[in-house]
Amino acid sequence: MSTSIENIGLFTSGGDAPGMNAAIRAVVRTALYYNIQVTGIRRGYEGMINGEMSLMDRRSVANIVQRGGTILKTGRSEQFMTPEGRKLAYEQLQKNKVDALVAVGGDGTFKGAQLFGKEFNIPIVGLPGTIDNDLFGTDFTIGYDTAINTVVNAVDRIRDTAESHDRLFIIEVMGKDGGMIALRTGIATGSEAVLIPDSTSDINAVFARLERDRRHKSSKIIIVAEADEESGAAFDIGDQIKEKYPNYDTRVSVLGHIQRGGTPTCMDRVLASRVGVAAVEALLDGHRNEMIGVIHNDISYIDFSRAIKHNTELNPKLLKIVEILSL
Ligand code: F6P
């Protein structure tokens, strides 16, 4: 390992995700293990531009592995998407003697990191931190497992009401560009249908299914991804169903930001810890402009340009499972 890196800047950016704190802890402790300093940058790229940064030590990451959110805070910065903003950010890093970066976030975070790394020739690696699980080059992202377990708990509760009242519930889950949350939670909750943007979400097929199942099913649950292009928001689908099946007692429930918070699951803590350790070691090994993930239980390295392209494809077999099991 080369030891030319002396001070790693660490930040979280984009939507918070449970397990980000475990990643912060892992990066800080690994860097200290290798005698490298860590500068914590608050509020993502915006904080970098404003110079909101200070050195971290072992104690600054004590007792955080179990906490949701991010102690470094986060945000989405428009200013960083401009060359002027990035120049200001670089000047702040120089002032604080930061000579490498670890970015924890999702698609937008890595788009920014990719530009920044090239413009200023600063070594950057990224950790996949988003509940959406929509990054290419890792089987799972930090926060996804917690989020889907939160959704499953919520839908199970709603199922009690659906069953007791013979109701149909349209439940909207997060995922602004993808349906990973919807797909897995749809299977796990025994939902009657899942509508997602990155598949052939077909509302007519759902209608046909409702027609077919109407006689023998008392409760019905349809999971809709936030950004389903075909059908629009859950309320639109609710309206369509109310119009077509006025005899159904239909309700719409939007789970919203409860999906982003809460205690990270064991899987998210372990994933975050593994990629956090690997990120520091990757920087020392000369990796640049790459996201560190896990594929088939092994650490993976994927160029930012590939990670951010939404190359993630939904497994059609999982979609088929929803259909087969909801008979
Ligand atoms: O990217 C994570 C995510 O939770 C998406 O699933 C969701 O569409 C978006 O963030 C919501 O962002 P905000 O909290 O800024 O409204």
Side-chain angles (χ1 to χ4, degrees):
M1 284 191 190
S2 127
T3 49
S4 59
I5 290 171
E6 291 180 1
N7 186 345
I8 295 174
L10 170 64
F11 63 99
T12 50
S13 161
D16 63 299
M20 279 184 163
N21 281 327
I24 291 169
R25 172 177 175 269
V27 171
V28 170
R29 296 233 163 132
T30 309
L32 296 178
Y33 177 86
Y34 289 112
N35 294 317
I36 298 163
Q37 289 188 316
V38 180
T39 295
I41 302 165
R42 287 176 292 285
R43 290 174 229 284
Y45 289 121
E46 202 65 21
M48 196 185 290
I49 291 168
N50 297 330
E52 290 183 59
M53 49 187 96
S54 54
L55 285 174
M56 300 181 81
D57 60 20
R58 297 188 71 83
R59 277 184 308 158
S60 53
V61 293
N63 241 324
I64 64 166
V65 72
Q66 77 281 19
R67 285 170 54 191
T70 159
I71 60 161
L72 288 176
K73 299 189 178 285
T74 187
R76 306 183 204 270
S77 171
E78 303 226 332
Q79 213 187 338
F80 194 79
M81 296 321 282
T82 67
E84 298 76 29
R86 292 194 293 277
K87 185 166 175 286
L88 285 173
Y90 184 66
E91 284 164 7
Q92 290 291 353
L93 294 182
Q94 281 189 308
K95 200 167 136 194
N96 287 275
K97 300 192 172 22
V98 171
D99 53 13
L101 288 170
V102 175
V104 188
D107 192 69
T109 306
F110 299 152
K111 277 185 186 142
Q114 190 187 19
L115 283 170
F116 197 56
K118 283 195 184 136
E119 274 171 359
F120 297 100
N121 196 26
I122 180 163
I124 311 180
V125 295
L127 302 184
T130 166
I131 64 163
D132 292 346
N133 202 33
D134 60 351
L135 295 168
F136 183 73
T138 188
D139 288 339
F140 298 107
T141 55
I142 298 164
Y144 176 64
D145 187 61
T146 308
I148 56 179
N149 277 292
T150 302
V151 170
V152 165
N153 283 330
V155 175
D156 285 350
R157 284 160 195 248
I158 291 173
R159 176 72 81 172
D160 288 346
T161 298
E163 191 69 23
S164 304
H165 287 262
D166 290 342
R167 277 184 184 161
L168 183 154
F169 270 89
I170 320 285
I171 302 176
E172 183 184 291
V173 299
M174 275 187 163
K176 61 178 180 295
D177 303 308
M180 290 289 188
I181 295 177
L183 183 57
R184 280 209 169 74
T185 59
I187 293 172
T189 57
S191 293
E192 277 59 44
V194 176
L195 290 169
I196 43 188
D198 30 13
S199 83
T200 49
S201 293
D202 182 355
I203 191 72
N204 291 318
V206 172
F207 287 154
R209 168 171 290 258
L210 289 179
E211 192 73 38
R212 192 191 66 204
D213 294 344
R214 185 163 53 178
R215 275 180 296 279
H216 64 278
K217 282 213 161 179
S218 56
S219 70
K220 298 175 185 17
I221 303 262
I222 298 176
I223 305 273
V224 183
E226 192 182 10
D228 182 66
E229 285 164 355
E230 174 100 359
S231 319
F235 286 103
D236 292 340
I237 296 171
D239 287 345
Q240 289 182 58
I241 289 178
K242 280 176 196 164
E243 198 180 318
K244 202 164 169 76
Y245 302 105
N247 54 322
Y248 283 6
D249 190 3
T250 302
R251 295 286 193 281
V252 174
S253 184
V254 177
L255 298 187
H257 286 81
I258 63 160
Q259 296 161 91
R260 282 242 294 264
T263 303
T265 60
C266 177
M267 291 300 280
D268 273 331
R269 296 182 203 190
V270 173
L271 171 63
S273 301
R274 284 185 75 183
V275 292
V277 172
V280 175
E281 293 180 340
L283 279 174
L284 295 179
D285 280 342
H287 288 263
R288 305 285 184 266
N289 296 319
E290 285 174 347
M291 182 189 83
I292 319 295
V294 169
I295 295 180
H296 297 149
N297 207 23
D298 261 337
I299 292 293
S300 58
Y301 307 87
I302 185 117
D303 197 86
F304 283 143
S305 60
R306 294 187 66 211
I308 61 181
K309 274 198 167 169
H310 289 292
N311 290 328
T312 39
E313 278 178 19
L314 286 182
N315 183 343
K317 289 184 181 157
L318 293 180
L319 274 171
K320 186 73 186 164
I321 286 173
V322 177
E323 193 187 323
I324 293 172
L325 297 186
S326 66
L327 275 178

